[in-house]
Amino acid sequence: MFIHKTNFLMRALYPDFVWNIKRDEKVIYLTFDDGPIPEITEFVLEELAKFQAKATFFCIGDNVRKYPDVFQKVLEQGHAVGNHTFNHLKGWITEDEHYLKNFKECESILENDFQIKYDSLFTKKKFRPPYGRIKKSQAKAILPSHEIIMWDVLSGDFSQELSPEKVLKKTIQHTENGSIVLFHDSIKANTNMSYALPRVLSHFSEKGFTFKAL
């Protein structure tokens, strides 16, 4: 069970996290978790390119290690990237020391192996906790150096109980100006994501929206 549209209570529990962007422009912020994965991430890149869309990829460090060529394509095509821990850890059930070490391991491979450059000294790096679950003690350690990016709309592409058509319908229904929309470039989500993403891009492009990276 999950909620497609982030509600006030969820935002109120973690007011220091980023849930959406200002609503006064027709801009959507697509995000993709759990990659990079060969073929799947490359499919996402191809679809984004058709609409001159930019997105933000929250990458698992171990996947970056295994598939550096795919990760490099994300960078070369001008998309933003963020930390998603090295092993996709669930913060609620992970000891802080281990969680933060795993977070730093991912950050190390992003910065040192690929020399990630950020927009400016005043722009924080980006982190998204796997499953959206993180202890406040963990967040407190991460927030000084990173924005913690959550989401406004959860596509539900990972759910085996949702049809591709349902994923598309719910995503379109809840997306609005400034929405941060969460998809996954993962094996588990691929069937639903690969159906919904091209149609979301087409639908909102026709309505005059643009797609930007965070």
Side-chain angles (χ1 to χ4, degrees):
M1 179 66 179
F2 59 88
I3 300 172
H4 283 281
K5 183 73 171 179
T6 302
N7 58 38
F8 171 79
L9 178 60
M10 295 168 68
R11 296 193 302 271
L13 286 172
Y14 296 97
D16 294 329
F17 297 179
V18 179
W19 297 91
N20 55 56
I21 308 300
K22 60 183 181 180
R23 301 288 198 184
D24 56 351
E25 297 180 10
K26 297 184 76 171
V27 178
I28 294 168
Y29 299 86
L30 296 177
T31 64
F32 298 87
D33 286 9
D34 298 355
I37 299 292
E39 297 185 12
I40 298 173
T41 301
E42 290 161 321
F43 167 82
V44 171
L45 293 174
E46 290 171 2
E47 293 303 313
L48 293 173
K50 291 176 184 177
F51 295 88
Q52 298 181 314
K54 299 302 179 185
T56 305
F57 291 77
F58 289 94
C59 299
I60 295 173
D62 196 38
N63 283 343
V64 175
R65 180 189 65 81
K66 290 187 289 189
Y67 310 116
D69 54 331
V70 181
F71 183 73
Q72 193 65 43
K73 290 179 182 179
V74 174
L75 299 179
E76 289 172 353
Q77 294 187 29
H79 301 287
V81 297
N83 186 321
H84 201 47
T85 74
F86 195 81
N87 297 114
H88 203 260
L89 299 184
K90 188 179 293 185
W92 289 0
I93 61 172
T94 307
E95 292 294 328
D96 288 5
E97 183 178 358
H98 180 49
Y99 190 84
L100 295 172
K101 181 179 180 181
N102 205 265
F103 157 79
K104 290 175 182 177
E105 190 174 3
C106 180
E107 195 66 19
S108 177
I109 196 169
L110 295 180
E111 284 195 326
N112 299 331
D113 293 4
F114 291 92
Q115 299 181 337
I116 301 302
K117 303 300 182 184
Y118 294 91
D119 293 337
S120 75
L121 294 174
F122 303 102
T123 299
K124 288 185 178 179
K125 303 169 189 178
K126 295 167 179 60
F127 173 71
R128 175 173 282 159
Y131 311 99
R133 296 175 180 175
I134 185 171
K135 297 175 188 174
K136 289 195 174 183
S137 55
Q138 296 161 352
K140 183 178 179 181
I142 291 171
L143 278 168
S145 61
H146 288 66
E147 289 183 306
I148 295 181
I149 308 294
M150 301 299 275
W151 56 83
D152 187 40
V153 179
L154 183 60
S155 69
D157 55 357
F158 57 87
S159 175
Q160 306 304 301
E161 298 177 0
L162 292 182
S163 67
E165 293 80 8
K166 189 76 167 181
V167 169
L168 174 63
K169 178 181 178 181
K170 288 294 185 179
T171 302
I172 289 176
Q173 176 185 341
H174 293 298
T175 299
E176 57 185 314
N177 291 11
S179 283
I180 297 174
V181 182
L182 171 53
F183 285 102
H184 295 79
D185 52 332
S186 66
I187 295 171
K188 181 179 181 181
N190 187 45
T191 297
N192 285 341
M193 181 277 293
S194 60
Y195 175 87
L197 177 62
R199 292 164 175 82
V200 165
L201 287 163
S202 178
H203 173 85
F204 286 104
S205 292
E206 290 175 2
K207 292 185 175 296
F209 282 81
T210 57
F211 302 90
K212 295 183 179 180
L214 291 164

